């Protein structure tokens, strides 16, 4: 599994758990906002609208980004921007992109926005303040957003929480701790989380849907090699002396669903790659400098000799040029 595929899979699990437990999610991160929302009116997921607003398409592969519309008790609407940041390196342009998200949503909808970034990695060495500042000869701007750093959360507080989403944070924190650990250690971490979930099930009276959502998220956060996963699966069967429901059928369905989704994503990536190759050929036909083509398409390895056909460089119409540029930006 390459880094992009792994990142997309990681993002998908975050997106699913946020969607499935959205009410708990809002209550966990913003209790004040939660009290203002009319939960009798289901929130609207504006994922497609959000993708069209992404700054320069830079988050096209970031599946955990999300935009939701909720209704307040006073009858007005509130927009919630949820951004999951999973990069493990310093990104000096991130605050600027967060500002771009903000002003594009605000410009498109003219609604109030609650913006949140959840850092799922340890950013203690590369962390930058959650703000974007602009100052040019007296023209000033300061944009700040909410930040939550999982690595800094207290496990005891998470264990005592009455909000199911605390388990999501705990599972991510345990996964962060076990990221470089040996397989036996990872197995023990998963067993610990299973015991926590068993207690939470009874204490919070979780229904099957929420329990399964939390279990699947935890199961994917800490990956085990086959022999250790089999031992963990046996632990599930022994859960509460066998009286607890088993998740075998649900997990099989989830695996099939993920396989279909990953297949579709791989197909999309291959399609985009072939499209870029075709665009590259067309731009070379137009006589566009290779350095510009590399920058426009994101392809570093380009030379006329690598194009698998003989191309005669000639001047084309401005219409063809603009059509080619439009294809690149799609």
């Amino acid at each position: 599994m390459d880094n992009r595929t792994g990142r997309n899979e990681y993002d998908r699990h975050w997106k699913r758990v946020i969607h499935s437990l959205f009410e708990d999610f809002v209550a966990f991160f913003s209790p004040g906002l939660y009290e203002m929302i009319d939960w009798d009116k289901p929130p609207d997921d504006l994922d497609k609208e959000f993708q069209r607003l992404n700054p320069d398409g830079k988050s096209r592969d970031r599946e955990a980004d999300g935009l939701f519309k909720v209704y307040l008790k006073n009858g007005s609407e509130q927009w919630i921007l949820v951004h999951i940041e999973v990069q493990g390196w310093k990104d000096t342009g991130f605050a600027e992109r967060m500002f771009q998200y903000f002003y594009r949503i605000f410009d498109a909808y003219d609604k109030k926005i609650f913006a949140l970034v959840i850092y799922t990695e340890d950013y203690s060495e590369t962390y930058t303040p959650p703000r974007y500042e602009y100052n040019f000869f007296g023209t000033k701007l300061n944009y700040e957003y909410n930040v939550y750093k999982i690595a800094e959360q207290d496990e005891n507080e998470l264990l005592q929480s009455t909000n199911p989403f605390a388990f999501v944070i705990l599972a991510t924190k345990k996964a962060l701790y076990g990221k470089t650990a040996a397989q036996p250690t990872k197995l023990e971490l998963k067993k610990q989380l299973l015991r926590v979930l068993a207690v939470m099930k009874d204490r919070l009276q979780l229904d099957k849907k929420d329990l399964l959502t939390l279990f699947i998220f935890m199961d994917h956060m800490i990956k085990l090699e086959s022999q250790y996963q089999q031992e963990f699966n046996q632990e599930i069967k022994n859960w509460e002396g066998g009286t607890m429901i088993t998740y075998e059928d649900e997990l099989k369905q989830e695996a099939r669903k993920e396989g279909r989704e990953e297949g579709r994503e791989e197909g999309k990536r291959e399609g985009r790659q072939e499209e870029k190759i075709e665009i590259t050929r067309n731009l070379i036909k137009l006589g566009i400098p290779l350095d510009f083509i590399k920058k426009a398409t994101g392809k570093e390895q380009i030379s006329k000799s690598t194009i698998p056909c003989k191309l005669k460089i000639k001047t084309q119409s401005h219409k063809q040029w603009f059509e080619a540029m439009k294809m690149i930006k799609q």
Side-chain angles (χ1 to χ4, degrees):
M1 180 184 296
D2 60 30
N3 289 336
R4 174 176 290 182
T5 301
R7 187 185 71 185
N8 286 348
E9 180 184 356
Y10 185 86
D11 281 1
R12 278 199 299 273
H13 294 307
W14 263 100
K15 190 165 191 173
R16 285 174 188 165
V17 78
I18 290 173
H19 279 240
S20 298
L21 300 172
F22 185 68
E23 187 171 340
D24 296 313
F25 172 87
V26 175
F28 185 85
F29 289 106
S30 184
L33 177 60
Y34 173 83
E35 292 298 329
M36 296 173 59
I37 295 174
D38 182 358
W39 292 104
D40 290 333
K41 296 180 180 179
D44 294 329
D45 179 6
L46 302 177
D47 182 67
K48 291 183 180 179
E49 290 83 350
F50 181 56
Q51 293 304 318
R52 289 196 290 267
L53 296 172
N54 275 334
D56 303 323
K58 290 178 182 176
S59 287
R60 187 171 297 173
D61 293 323
R62 303 300 295 274
E63 298 189 19
D65 297 354
L67 181 65
F68 298 86
K69 177 171 70 175
V70 297
Y71 299 88
L72 303 186
K73 292 176 180 177
N74 63 9
S76 63
E77 296 177 352
Q78 176 80 23
W79 300 88
I80 296 180
L81 169 63
V82 180
H83 186 95
I84 310 300
E85 169 63 18
V86 295
Q87 284 181 276
W89 58 89
K90 188 174 183 179
D91 183 355
T92 56
F94 179 68
E96 181 179 0
R97 288 205 304 277
M98 282 299 293
F99 173 65
Q100 289 176 322
Y101 291 135
F102 172 82
Y103 75 66
R104 293 187 183 194
I105 295 169
F106 186 80
D107 181 60
Y109 301 108
D110 192 22
K111 299 292 182 181
K112 293 181 179 179
I113 302 166
F114 169 75
L116 170 68
V117 176
I118 303 174
Y119 286 109
T120 61
E121 299 283 345
D122 186 355
Y123 288 86
S124 57
E125 295 182 2
T126 62
Y127 179 73
T128 55
R131 70 174 64 94
Y132 171 69
E133 296 177 332
Y134 176 89
N135 187 350
F136 185 73
F137 287 94
T139 300
K140 299 180 181 180
L141 173 75
N142 182 59
Y143 170 67
E144 298 184 12
Y145 45 89
N146 298 283
V147 163
Y148 185 89
K149 294 180 280 186
I150 290 179
E152 297 182 1
Q153 303 309 308
D154 185 272
E155 289 192 16
N156 289 328
E157 291 183 5
L158 294 173
L159 290 169
Q160 295 169 11
S161 174
T162 57
N163 189 314
F165 211 86
F167 182 80
V168 174
I169 305 302
L170 181 64
T172 307
K173 185 175 174 65
K174 291 285 190 183
L176 182 59
Y177 171 75
K179 195 171 184 179
T180 57
Q183 288 292 308
T185 301
K186 291 184 177 181
L187 174 60
E188 184 55 36
L189 289 174
K190 290 189 78 165
K191 288 182 178 181
Q192 290 175 13
L193 287 169
L194 187 62
R195 291 191 287 270
V196 170
L197 189 56
V199 173
M200 182 177 286
K201 165 186 170 287
D202 294 331
R203 183 164 61 93
L204 303 184
Q205 296 297 299
L206 297 177
D207 60 25
K208 179 180 177 181
K209 177 179 175 296
D210 289 349
L211 190 61
L212 183 60
T213 296
L214 294 171
F215 175 83
I216 290 175
F217 181 83
M218 175 269 290
D219 194 43
H220 286 287
M221 283 299 102
I222 303 178
K223 296 288 189 180
L224 296 174
E225 294 175 0
S226 178
Q227 68 180 89
Y228 294 98
Q229 185 63 37
Q230 290 177 8
E231 183 176 342
F232 179 70
N233 292 342
Q234 186 61 44
E235 186 82 6
I236 299 171
K237 294 179 181 179
N238 295 335
W239 196 5
E240 296 188 358
T243 59
M244 176 60 192
I245 63 167
T246 62
Y247 296 95
E248 186 174 358
D249 291 339
E250 288 88 346
L251 290 175
K252 286 180 179 179
Q253 291 176 8
E254 185 71 15
R256 286 193 292 268
K257 181 179 179 182
E258 284 182 10
R260 290 193 297 269
E261 289 182 355
E262 289 179 6
R264 284 195 293 267
E265 287 301 316
E266 183 63 27
K268 289 179 182 178
R269 284 194 293 272
E270 290 178 358
R272 287 195 293 267
Q273 181 67 13
E274 295 201 1
E275 184 181 25
K276 280 189 176 183
I277 293 173
E278 183 61 28
I279 291 171
T280 301
R281 288 172 175 160
N282 291 336
L283 291 178
I284 289 179
K285 286 181 182 180
L286 294 170
I288 306 304
L290 292 181
D291 288 343
F292 181 84
I293 297 175
K294 291 178 183 180
K295 182 177 180 180
T297 62
K299 292 181 66 62
E300 293 298 327
Q301 302 299 322
I302 297 176
S303 66
K304 293 178 183 178
S305 63
T306 62
I307 302 299
C309 60
K310 294 182 179 180
L311 298 173
K312 184 179 181 180
I313 307 300
K314 58 182 179 179
T315 303
Q316 300 288 335
S317 69
H318 287 295
K319 181 178 179 181
Q320 288 174 305
W321 159 252
F322 284 118
E323 287 299 316
M325 292 307 297
K326 283 170 63 178
M327 289 176 66
I328 291 177
K329 293 179 180 179
Q330 290 176 349

